[in-house]
Amino acid sequence: MLKTEILPPKAKKIAKELHVHEETRIDDYFWMNDREHPDVIKFLEDENEYNAQITAHTQEFQKDLFEEMKSRIKEDDESVPYKHNGYWYYARFEKGKDYPIYARKKESLEAPEEILFNVNEMAKGHRYFKLSGVNISPDNKLAAFGVDNVSRRNYTIQIKNLETGAILPLKIETTTGSSTWANDNQTLFYTRKDEKTLRSNQIFQHVLGEDPKDDLLVYQEEDDTFNAYVYKTKSDKYVIIGSSSTLSDEYRILDANEPRGEFRMFQERCRGLEFSISHFEDHFYILTNKDDATNFKLMKTPIDALGKENWTEVLAHREEVLLEDIDIFKEFLVVSERSNGLNHIRVMRWDKTDDYYIPFDNETYTTGTGANPDFDTLTLRYGYNSLTTPTSIIDFNMKTKDSVVMKEQSVLDKTFRKENYISERIWATAKDGTEVPISLVYKKGIQRDGTNPVLQYAYGSYGHTVDPSFSTTRLSLLNRGFVFAIAHIRGGEYLGRNWYEQGKMLQKKNTFTDFIACSQYLIDQKWTSPQHMYAMGGSAGGLLMGVVLNEAPQLYNGVIAAVPFVDVISTMLDDSIPLTTGEYDEWGNPNEKEYYDYMKSYSPYDNVKAQEYPNILITTGFHDSQVQYWEPAKWTAKLRALKTDKNILLFHTNMDAGHGGASGRFDALKEVAEDYAFLLDLEGKIHN
C-alpha cells in the first residue's frame, strides 16, 4: 500500500454525556447523528475525498478488476422459467444493462413474450432504484409492485394493468413493498411501516378504485418487538397475517375467497414458541420448536381446530438434524434439512409409499429448493453449487427420480476449469474447546508455507448461515493466490439451532472468539501468516470485525468492515432507530443492567483503544436503514483519534445507497472491485 503524507480528516470532538444505570459514557462524536447538519455532510465528503486520494494509484486497477469480473458474467442472461397459474415467468438481462426485465409467456414457452417490467426504463433518472414484491392477481390481469428509489427499504406500492400496460395512479407510501391479492382480484392486503422506526406494524386492505386514505386497517401490531406481514398460502385458499419477533410467532387466517371476512386466530403468541404454517387439503402443517424441539419438528392440525393443543406430530424432533423448511405438493412433501452443516433434501409421498433423500456427494456444498409455485406437479426445482462448482438449477421428477439440469451458471472465462480449484472443510478449536468448521477454497498448487494471503469471511448472527457457494467475482482473488475461508462460527445455524443459541445474548462473545480461533488455526496450520491474513464481514458481520480489531489486531494485515453495526449500546438504547426494539432478543436490552454491562464489554465503538490496528477499509451507505451511517462514521473518527500505528484507515460512504449497496448489477461490481483492490494492494498484487 502506497504510504503518503496526505493527512486524514480530523473530526471535531463535542463531548456528549450519556447517562444510564448510574454510569456516564462520553461520546465525542454523538453530533454525527444529525444527517442534515452541514458539518456531518462535510465530514463524510472529506473522508470520501481522502479515500479517493489514498487509493488514486489503484483506480486503474479497480477499473481493470471491474472489467475482469464483468467479463465473466453472461450479460444477456435469463433465469429458468417457472410456471404459475397458466403462465411461464422469468427474468432476463440485456447486454450492457444494469437491471432485469421481468416477462412471461402464456401456457407455452413458444408463446409471444409479454414484458411485465423493464426495470432499466423504470430506473432512468434515479441514482438508486429497487423493484420489489411483484405480485400478480389471480386473474393474471394486474400486477402490484413496490418501488424504493432512496435505498431505505421504504417502498411505494403501485399497480400495473397488464392488459393495457398502464400503471394506475394509485400510490401507497411507506410500505414493505410486498402485498397479497384476495381471490376476488379487487382486494389487496399490504403492510405499512412506522414512518420513524420503519417497523412493519400495520396490515391494510385496499379495494381497487377507492382512495388509499380510506383503506381499512385490519391489523395493528402494538408490541414494538414484533413485525407484521401478510401473504397467501401456496394453495391460494388463505390470506395469512403473521407477526413475529426473534423468539415468537403468531398467525391469523382468512378465507381468500372472503376478503371482507374476519381474520381468525391460528395460534396466539407464546414467548419462546416459534412456528410457521403451510396449508394442504384439510390440514395446516406447522414447522415448530414446540415442546423443546430445538431443531424444530413438523406437526399438523385440522383447518377447523387450529390451536396448539390440537397439533399432532408428523416428523419428530432430532438432536442432530435441523428442520429448515418444507415444500408442499399434491402428491409429495419435500423437507429441507441440515445435518453436520450440510443441506439435505428429503422427498416423501403423502401416501407413505416412498421416502428418500436426493443424493449429494461433496465435502462442502450448498443446495436448496427454488421457485416451486405449482402445486399439482411431479417436478421439484432445486439449486446446487459449491465453492468450486457454478450454480445449477435442476428439475427433479419426484416419482421417477430422474433429474434434468435446466441451467448451469455460465462463467465466461476461457481459463476457468472447476477442477483447477479445491474446496475442503477443516475444523478449528475454539476458546472453550468447541470444534468450529471452516470451508476453504483455493487454486490448485497452493502450498501451506505461511505465505498465502487468506481472506476469512463470516457473519455469525440471527441464525443466518453463510453457506459455501460459488462466486465468479471471487475468482479474481483465487487466481491471484488468495485462499478464501468461511468461518462457520456460532451465532449462525450451520450446526443446528443450538449453534445459534450459543452465539447470541449473553453468549454473544462466542461468535467473536470463534472467529479469532479460526484465524489463529489458519495461521498455525501455515495456510497463512499475520502478514497475509485478512478478515471481512458486513452489518452484524461488521460488528464482528469491530470486536476482532479490538481484541486481536495482531492477527491481521487488513480488515474490511461493510455497513458495520459497531455502536451497539447507543443504538440499542435508541428505540426510534429502525430494528432496535425487535433486536432485544438477539442482543439483549441494555435498559437492563446485565445486558448493558455485557454489551459494553464488547461494543466495538466503546472499546476502541490506543493500540496498533491493521489496515482497515470501512464502507457504508448514507441512506442505510439497517445500520445508520453515523455508526461507521463515529467509529472511523474514534479509530483515527486513538490508533497508534501508521497503517491505512479508509472510510467510504456511498451517498446514494443504503444497506445493500448499489442497486445496479454493474455498480455493485464496482464496490466489489474496491474491496478487492484494497486487499490486493496490501499484497502488492495490483499489477498482476
Side-chain angles (χ1 to χ4, degrees):
M1 170 89 50
L2 179 68
K3 300 300 180 182
T4 164
E5 297 306 315
I6 300 170
L7 295 176
K10 189 174 182 180
K12 65 182 179 182
K13 294 183 179 181
I14 303 175
K16 170 80 171 179
E17 293 188 355
L18 302 170
H19 305 283
V20 63
H21 300 302
E22 300 181 352
E23 179 179 285
T24 300
R25 286 182 302 131
I26 304 296
D27 188 347
D28 289 327
Y29 306 105
F30 190 87
W31 60 272
M32 291 187 183
N33 291 34
D34 183 359
R35 72 172 60 243
E36 305 296 334
H37 199 288
D39 288 350
V40 172
I41 302 300
K42 185 176 187 307
F43 172 76
L44 298 178
E45 290 175 342
D46 286 349
E47 283 285 354
N48 281 352
E49 176 60 27
Y50 176 73
N51 175 62
Q53 290 177 318
I54 295 297
T55 61
H57 67 292
T58 73
Q59 291 305 308
E60 284 303 313
F61 180 63
Q62 287 188 44
K63 291 176 185 176
D64 291 344
L65 266 182
F66 167 75
E67 293 297 337
E68 179 183 301
M69 292 186 288
K70 181 182 174 186
S71 71
R72 296 194 192 102
I73 298 172
K74 190 173 186 294
E75 290 194 47
D76 53 348
D77 205 2
E78 185 175 304
S79 67
V80 180
Y82 66 87
K83 195 173 187 183
H84 181 57
N85 198 19
Y87 282 83
W88 289 94
Y89 289 88
Y90 57 96
R92 61 181 176 83
F93 283 94
E94 293 182 343
K95 189 174 178 62
K97 300 292 180 65
D98 249 323
Y99 295 96
I101 295 169
Y102 294 99
R104 68 180 183 179
K105 294 181 178 181
K106 189 171 184 177
E107 294 298 345
S108 166
L109 289 172
E110 307 305 315
E113 179 181 75
E114 178 184 339
I115 292 179
L116 305 176
F117 299 98
N118 184 336
V119 185
N120 299 289
E121 294 298 320
M122 299 171 75
K124 284 183 177 177
H126 297 286
R127 300 290 295 272
Y128 178 93
F129 190 88
K130 183 77 171 179
L131 176 74
S132 178
V134 175
N135 174 30
I136 310 296
S137 61
D139 63 5
N140 294 311
K141 295 179 179 180
L142 300 168
F145 62 98
V147 168
D148 173 15
N149 51 33
V150 176
S151 188
R152 278 186 67 76
R153 301 188 181 182
N154 198 357
Y155 291 86
T156 297
I157 289 177
Q158 297 178 261
I159 296 175
K160 182 175 183 178
N161 185 319
L162 299 180
E163 294 182 310
T164 67
I167 292 180
L168 307 186
L170 169 76
K171 288 190 175 183
I172 304 174
E173 311 280 353
T174 322
T175 78
T176 61
S178 62
S179 58
T180 298
W181 291 99
N183 290 344
D184 64 353
N185 301 293
Q186 294 291 308
T187 307
L188 190 71
F189 293 93
Y190 63 90
T191 311
R192 271 198 193 276
K193 291 185 168 188
D194 181 276
E195 290 193 10
K196 186 175 183 182
T197 67
L198 299 184
R199 181 174 68 92
S200 50
N201 64 336
Q202 296 177 321
I203 308 296
F204 279 89
Q205 179 192 85
H206 174 76
V207 178
L208 288 186
E210 296 187 1
D211 190 326
K213 293 179 182 176
D214 299 325
D215 286 355
L216 178 66
L217 175 65
V218 294
Y219 179 69
Q220 170 88 32
E221 179 51 68
E222 300 291 353
D223 187 330
D224 61 9
T225 67
F226 279 73
N227 287 282
Y229 48 94
V230 62
Y231 66 98
K232 191 191 283 187
T233 56
K234 182 177 176 177
S235 65
D236 291 326
K237 297 288 181 63
Y238 294 95
V239 175
I240 311 289
I241 290 177
S243 197
S244 297
S245 70
T246 304
L247 293 176
S248 309
D249 299 289
E250 180 176 272
Y251 295 94
R252 292 166 171 78
I253 69 171
L254 175 70
D255 187 329
N257 293 314
E258 303 291 340
R260 306 297 180 275
E262 292 287 327
F263 281 85
R264 61 186 175 115
M265 180 67 74
F266 186 96
Q267 167 59 48
E268 64 185 21
R269 66 195 65 179
C270 300
R271 183 166 176 81
L273 176 64
E274 298 176 63
F275 66 103
S276 58
I277 59 177
S278 303
H279 172 249
F280 176 60
E281 294 185 343
D282 56 356
H283 283 82
F284 276 94
Y285 285 76
I286 306 134
L287 201 61
T288 180
N289 67 348
K290 185 176 181 288
D291 305 321
D292 298 319
T294 306
N295 275 333
F296 288 74
K297 60 182 176 180
L298 185 64
M299 307 186 80
K300 70 176 183 179
T301 196
I303 57 175
D304 56 358
L306 302 175
K308 64 179 181 177
E309 65 277 5
N310 302 297
W311 300 358
T312 57
E313 195 169 274
V314 178
L315 291 176
H317 174 255
R318 286 164 289 172
E319 291 293 337
E320 303 304 322
V321 179
L322 176 65
L323 207 56
E324 293 193 313
D325 202 3
I326 61 170
D327 287 277
I328 288 179
F329 298 88
K330 185 177 180 180
E331 293 185 39
F332 293 89
L333 169 66
V334 177
V335 183
S336 296
E337 303 177 350
R338 184 186 297 272
S339 60
N340 196 32
L342 301 179
N343 308 119
H344 303 282
I345 300 175
R346 182 180 182 183
V347 180
M348 310 165 65
R349 289 194 72 103
W350 289 111
D351 63 10
K352 300 184 179 180
T353 58
D354 210 358
D355 182 348
Y356 60 91
Y357 287 88
I358 298 176
F360 302 108
D361 57 353
N362 202 320
E363 185 177 16
T364 178
Y365 63 88
T366 297
T367 189
T369 59
N372 289 287
D374 196 355
F375 177 71
D376 189 3
T377 180
L378 296 175
T379 301
L380 168 71
R381 176 165 294 170
Y382 70 89
Y384 175 89
N385 74 100
S386 73
L387 288 167
T388 59
T389 307
T391 300
S392 292
I393 304 299
I394 298 160
D395 278 359
F396 177 80
N397 187 303
M398 294 180 281
K399 185 175 182 180
T400 66
K401 303 178 186 175
D402 295 325
S403 61
V404 178
V405 177
M406 302 300 293
K407 178 182 179 181
E408 181 171 314
Q409 178 184 1
S410 298
V411 182
L412 302 185
D413 181 344
K414 292 179 181 178
T415 68
F416 174 74
R417 300 285 184 276
K418 57 187 176 185
E419 57 270 19
N420 290 339
Y421 301 85
I422 298 172
S423 67
E424 60 181 286
R425 188 168 61 166
I426 60 177
W427 299 75
T429 303
K431 187 178 180 180
D432 62 359
T434 301
E435 294 293 299
V436 181
I438 308 169
S439 293
L440 295 177
V441 62
Y442 51 91
K443 199 167 184 181
K444 276 186 177 176
I446 290 290
Q447 301 296 314
R448 282 167 54 182
D449 57 8
T451 65
N452 306 305
V454 168
L455 176 59
Q456 182 178 314
Y457 179 84
Y459 185 73
S461 292
Y462 304 106
H464 174 71
T465 297
V466 180
D467 281 310
S469 56
F470 185 78
S471 164
T472 60
T473 57
R474 192 186 300 135
L475 294 173
S476 291
L477 289 182
L478 301 183
N479 291 344
R480 289 173 172 85
F482 265 79
V483 177
F484 182 75
I486 302 171
H488 301 292
I489 55 182
R490 282 174 283 186
E493 283 185 345
Y494 186 78
L495 291 180
R497 182 69 174 192
N498 271 326
W499 202 244
Y500 168 43
E501 298 292 341
Q502 292 174 40
K504 62 186 283 197
M505 303 288 277
L506 297 175
Q507 297 187 77
K508 188 64 208 170
K509 289 183 183 180
N510 285 333
T511 300
F512 317 133
T513 54
D514 282 2
F515 188 91
I516 292 168
C518 289
S519 298
Q520 188 64 62
Y521 183 76
L522 291 169
I523 292 168
D524 291 345
Q525 295 298 307
K526 298 196 179 303
W527 286 100
T528 190
S529 62
Q531 293 76 31
H532 302 285
M533 185 80 200
Y534 302 92
M536 182 176 182
S539 194
L543 161 69
L544 169 64
M545 294 301 102
V547 176
V548 165
L549 279 166
N550 287 333
E551 297 297 322
Q554 73 283 356
L555 293 183
Y556 308 93
N557 189 37
V559 171
I560 300 175
V563 292
F565 169 44
V566 286
D567 190 9
V568 182
I569 295 177
S570 293
T571 292
M572 294 303 295
L573 283 169
D574 186 351
D575 59 14
S576 71
I577 294 176
L579 298 186
T580 291
T581 53
E583 306 268 295
Y584 288 156
D585 288 325
E586 178 72 26
W587 310 100
N589 183 349
N591 291 295
E592 299 175 24
K593 192 171 188 310
E594 181 182 26
Y595 291 104
Y596 172 87
D597 289 341
Y598 190 75
M599 284 181 186
K600 187 184 175 189
S601 71
Y602 69 74
S603 171
Y605 181 65
D606 293 284
N607 287 282
V608 172
K609 49 184 172 283
Q611 67 175 5
E612 290 192 358
Y613 285 89
N615 299 285
I616 304 170
L617 170 62
I618 301 168
T619 60
T620 192
F622 184 61
H623 299 290
D624 197 330
S625 61
Q626 314 300 106
V627 178
Q628 309 299 317
Y629 73 87
W630 60 73
E631 291 199 42
K634 291 164 57 176
W635 185 41
T636 300
K638 193 170 183 180
L639 280 167
R640 288 209 189 285
L642 290 177
K643 73 190 195 82
T644 60
D645 57 86
K646 293 184 179 180
N647 290 323
I648 296 296
L649 169 58
L650 300 176
F651 176 43
H652 182 202
T653 304
N654 185 330
M655 300 301 287
D656 299 312
H659 199 64
S663 56
R665 59 173 175 162
F666 298 136
D667 283 341
L669 277 184
K670 291 174 184 175
E671 295 182 341
V672 177
E674 177 185 11
D675 292 343
Y676 285 7
F678 172 77
L679 299 171
L680 291 164
D681 190 18
L682 289 170
E683 280 295 304
K685 293 177 179 284
I686 65 168
H687 300 299
N688 56 5

